[in-house]
């Protein structure tokens, strides 16, 4: 099932260095870069982050078949956002960079170099982290992730909840598909052919069995965990914990250096934007 | 052993409810979006389930479920969008306070309580999707105001409608199963 491999990763690539990277390191890289990339509008810096992300993408040896749908979705989403931004504020680039070099047209919808540059930066912000996420998504073990979160001082109960959810996503995906097919076999139309109201009604008929079976499962799992005295101690150990390797330290240091570089660039540029127009 | 039976932090049930809640919300967001006809906007039954879960298990479960379910959904689309993730977590947290007046596990559900629940959800939707998410887009991502407020308003409307219909119906259905149990224990 493709949904399962999306979450649990592919076991055939066991020997890759990216698979040996600790969950802690992956979380630090992902959150750190995503935070600094979210704020910065420096073109060269964002390109540098994209290159860094591609290092991991390359290391993961992903099959194009598996990620194709995801990549198309990201491209579609990004294009739609670019169009929306342009339609709503074609002069936003001018507002930010303070100058106006018109290429085409005039009036409100005049296309300026500044707007194009702003849109380029925005696209980079959307896509720079995608290769990194693709790589981590397919190479991270769920238990490794929970252990990694716990090492970052996140309370173990929250980590355990996250691990539980990753354990149950394939189950509920299967259950969802079974219910959906069963309801469709009974004549329920939820495809594009049905109108909006029919689809809402149809979807609710899938939702109800799924919700109530999940509530039952909460009861059963809670009882099982209480019997095993879950949550009585202040700490918990993890089977998947292992000490950080040299490689882990190396990437954590690089990430921290990249974040400081980003902050230093705010000072150099006098703000979040790199402005080539003045 | 030195430990007491008392809990540190979340209860066992809260942990399990959060874990299973994240999985269900993720599956619903991922596989059951209903397009409304407006591009890039869907009626999100994941939010409806989230509101229902929060109403039963409270703010901590609601907030954590919303946070992680949104992060996972965004990751499988390739791009975490933090301003909306924060808004979603805040929404889950706020809607969880409906547990305090619904008391669905102890008492019967009344129309008055359902009205209160819906007032809370509409207010929470307006604050989170209509104000927090767009402001986050403007401050964090420097996006133009017109576009983000349009997205925010559409999200507010679709979520308020989805929760208003679907969560309310789920609460009524859940209440029926609960009150039957109660009658049995009284005998």
């Amino acid at each position: 099932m493709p949904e399962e491999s999306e979450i649990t990763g592919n076991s055939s690539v066991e020997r890759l260095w990216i698979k040996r990277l600790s969950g802690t390191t992956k979380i630090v890289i992902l959150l750190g870069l995503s935070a600094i990339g979210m704020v910065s509008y420096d073109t060269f810096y964002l390109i540098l982050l994209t290159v860094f992300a591609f290092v991991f993408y390359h290391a993961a040896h992903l099959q194009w078949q598996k990620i194709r749908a995801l990549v198309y979705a990201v491209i579609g989403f990004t294009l739609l956002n670019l169009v929306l931004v342009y339609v709503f504020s074609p002069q936003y680039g001018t507002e930010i960079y303070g100058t106006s070099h018109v290429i085409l047209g005039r009036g409100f919808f005049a296309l300026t170099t500044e707007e194009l540059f702003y849109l380029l930066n925005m696209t980079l912000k959307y896509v720079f982290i995608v290769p990194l996420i693709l790589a981590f998504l397919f190479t991270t073990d769920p238990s490794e992730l929970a252990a990694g979160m716990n090492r970052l001082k996140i309370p173990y109960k929250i980590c355990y909840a996250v691990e539980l959810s990753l354990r149950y996503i394939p189950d509920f995906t299967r259950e969802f598909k079974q219910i959906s097919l069963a309801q469709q076999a009974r004549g329920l139309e939820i495809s594009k052919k049905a109108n909006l109201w029919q689809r809402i009604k149809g979807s609710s008929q899938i939702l109800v069995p799924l919700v109530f079976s999940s509530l039952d499962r909460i009861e059963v799992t809670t009882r099982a965990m209480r019997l095993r005295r879950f949550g009585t101690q202040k700490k918990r150990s993890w089977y998947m914990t292992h000490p950080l390797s040299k490689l882990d330290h190396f990437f954590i240091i690089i990430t921290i250096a990249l974040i400081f570089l980003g902050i230093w660039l705010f000072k150099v540029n006098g703000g979040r934007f790199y402005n080539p127009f003045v | 052993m030195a430990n007491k039976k008392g809990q540190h932090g979340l209860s066992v049930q809260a942990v399990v409810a959060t874990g299973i809640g994240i999985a269900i919300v993720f599956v619903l967001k991922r596989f059951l979006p209903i397009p409304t006809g407006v591009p890039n906007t869907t009626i999100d039954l994941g939010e409806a389930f989230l509101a229902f879960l929060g109403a039963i298990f409270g703010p901590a479960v609601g907030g954590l479920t919303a946070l992680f379910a949104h992060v996972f959904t965004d990751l499988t689309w390739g791009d975490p969008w933090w301003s909306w993730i924060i808004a979603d977590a805040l929404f889950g947290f706020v809607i969880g306070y409906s547990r305090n007046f619904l008391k669905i596990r102890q008492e019967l559900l009344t129309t008055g309580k359902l009205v209160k629940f819906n007032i809370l959800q509409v207010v929470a939707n307006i604050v989170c999707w209509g104000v927090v998410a767009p402001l986050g887009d403007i401050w964090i991502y420097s996006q133009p105001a017109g576009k983000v407020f349009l997205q925010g308003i559409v999200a507010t409307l679709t979520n308020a409608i989805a929760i208003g219909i679907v969560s309310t119906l789920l609460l009524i259905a859940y209440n029926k199963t609960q009150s039957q149990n109660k009658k049995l224990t009284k005998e």
Side-chain angles (χ1 to χ4, degrees), chain B residues 86-108:
Chain B
I86 294 165
D88 205 351
L90 183 68
F91 176 78
F93 186 74
V94 171
I95 201 73
Y97 277 99
S98 63
R99 180 184 61 170
N100 296 351
F101 60 79
L102 283 173
K103 297 198 181 79
I104 194 160
R105 312 186 87 186
Q106 294 102 40
E107 296 170 17
L108 282 175

Side-chain angles (χ1 to χ4, degrees), chain A residues 6 34 38 41 70 74 80-81 85 89 92 118 126 130 133 157 161 165 176 196 207 211 219 232-233 272, chain B residues 3 7-8 10 19 28 30-31 35 40 49 75-80 82 105 139-142 144 147 166:
Chain A
E6 228 164 68
S34 150
M38 172 168 90
Y41 260 99
L70 210 62
V74 172
L80 195 69
N81 259 297
V85 169
S89 329
Y92 195 62
Y118 168 73
Y126 275 117
V130 174
I133 287 172
K157 285 181 175 172
S165 76
F176 168 80
L196 183 62
L207 188 66
V211 165
E219 296 289 319
T232 49
Q233 308 280 330
R272 291 160 63 176
Chain B
N3 61 47
Q7 297 285 340
H8 318 284
L10 294 171
L28 292 176
R30 195 76 219 282
F31 300 108
N40 216 13
F49 176 74
L75 287 183
T76 55
W77 289 125
D79 202 0
W82 295 105
R105 312 186 87 186
W139 286 332
I140 303 177
Y141 290 99
S142 281
K147 176 218 162 210
V166 179

Side-chain angles (χ1 to χ4, degrees), chain A residues 105-117:
Chain A
R106 64 170 96 91
F108 183 66
F109 280 107
L111 185 65
T112 61
T113 325
E114 286 79 3
E115 181 75 9
L116 281 182
F117 188 66

Side-chain angles (χ1 to χ4, degrees), chain A:
Chain A
M1 256 184 156
E3 288 79 27
E4 272 172 2
S5 55
E6 228 164 68
I7 302 300
T8 52
N10 185 349
S11 55
S12 65
V13 280
E14 209 60 66
R15 295 235 148 256
L16 301 173
W17 62 260
I18 189 167
K19 285 217 103 183
R20 281 180 290 145
L21 220 51
S22 144
T24 314
T25 316
K26 286 177 181 168
I27 297 168
V28 169
I29 296 173
L30 187 62
L31 291 186
L33 294 191
S34 150
I36 190 78
M38 172 168 90
V39 183
S40 176
Y41 260 99
D42 187 305
T43 319
F44 297 111
Y45 183 65
L46 288 172
I47 291 172
L48 177 69
L49 292 187
T50 314
V51 172
F52 186 61
F54 265 105
V55 171
F56 294 96
Y57 177 81
H58 181 73
H61 291 286
L62 301 175
Q63 288 164 0
W64 174 242
Q65 292 285 331
K66 275 188 178 172
I67 58 166
R68 195 174 48 186
L70 210 62
V71 173
Y72 289 152
V74 172
I75 292 172
F77 175 76
T78 310
L79 284 178
L80 195 69
N81 259 297
L82 289 182
V83 170
L84 266 180
V85 169
Y86 180 70
V87 168
F88 271 86
S89 329
Q91 299 305 321
Y92 195 62
T94 307
E95 211 178 290
I96 290 169
Y97 297 110
T99 54
S100 181
H101 299 84
V102 180
I103 306 170
L104 269 178
R106 64 170 96 91
F108 183 66
F109 280 107
L111 185 65
T112 61
T113 325
E114 286 79 3
E115 181 75 9
L116 281 182
F117 188 66
Y118 168 73
L119 291 179
L120 168 74
N121 286 320
M122 211 186 78
T123 312
L124 278 172
K125 278 163 88 76
Y126 275 117
V127 300
F128 85 90
I129 203 138
V130 174
L132 188 82
I133 287 172
L134 286 174
F136 286 177
L137 206 59
F138 286 92
T139 57
T140 309
D141 190 273
S143 315
E144 175 83 52
L145 183 73
M149 279 171 72
N150 193 220
R151 196 200 290 270
L152 293 168
K153 303 283 180 246
I154 297 169
Y156 78 85
K157 285 181 175 172
I158 294 176
C159 307
Y160 199 87
V162 170
E163 192 176 350
L164 262 182
S165 76
L166 293 174
R167 155 73 182 75
Y168 275 115
I169 284 172
D171 276 23
F172 284 133
T173 307
R174 207 174 307 126
E175 204 165 308
F176 168 80
K177 288 197 168 146
Q178 276 168 3
I179 297 171
S180 169
L181 288 175
Q183 297 283 31
Q184 283 177 54
R186 294 171 62 194
L188 196 76
E189 183 68 80
I190 52 163
S191 68
K192 280 178 188 148
K193 274 181 274 171
N195 65 32
L196 183 62
W197 178 244
Q198 277 177 321
R199 284 183 80 165
I200 295 176
K201 256 174 75 181
S203 303
S204 307
Q205 269 165 300
I206 298 173
L207 188 66
V208 170
L210 191 66
V211 165
F212 285 93
S213 85
S214 75
L215 288 176
D216 282 345
R217 216 172 297 198
I218 292 176
E219 296 289 319
V220 172
T221 315
T222 305
R223 247 176 269 147
M225 278 165 63
R226 276 214 189 105
L227 279 171
R228 289 163 181 76
R229 295 179 65 74
F230 176 86
T232 49
Q233 308 280 330
K234 281 193 172 143
K235 276 187 190 165
R236 180 186 174 82
S237 59
W238 303 83
Y239 178 69
M240 292 299 286
T241 311
H242 49 81
L244 294 182
S245 65
K246 272 183 191 162
L247 196 68
D248 287 316
H249 285 119
F250 173 71
F251 277 114
I252 289 176
I253 289 168
I254 287 199
T255 305
I256 293 171
L258 277 172
I259 292 171
F260 275 109
L261 176 67
I263 294 169
W264 179 69
L265 282 170
F266 293 153
K267 266 189 150 176
V268 175
N269 294 332
R272 291 160 63 176
F273 297 92
Y274 162 70
N275 192 344
F277 298 104
V278 285

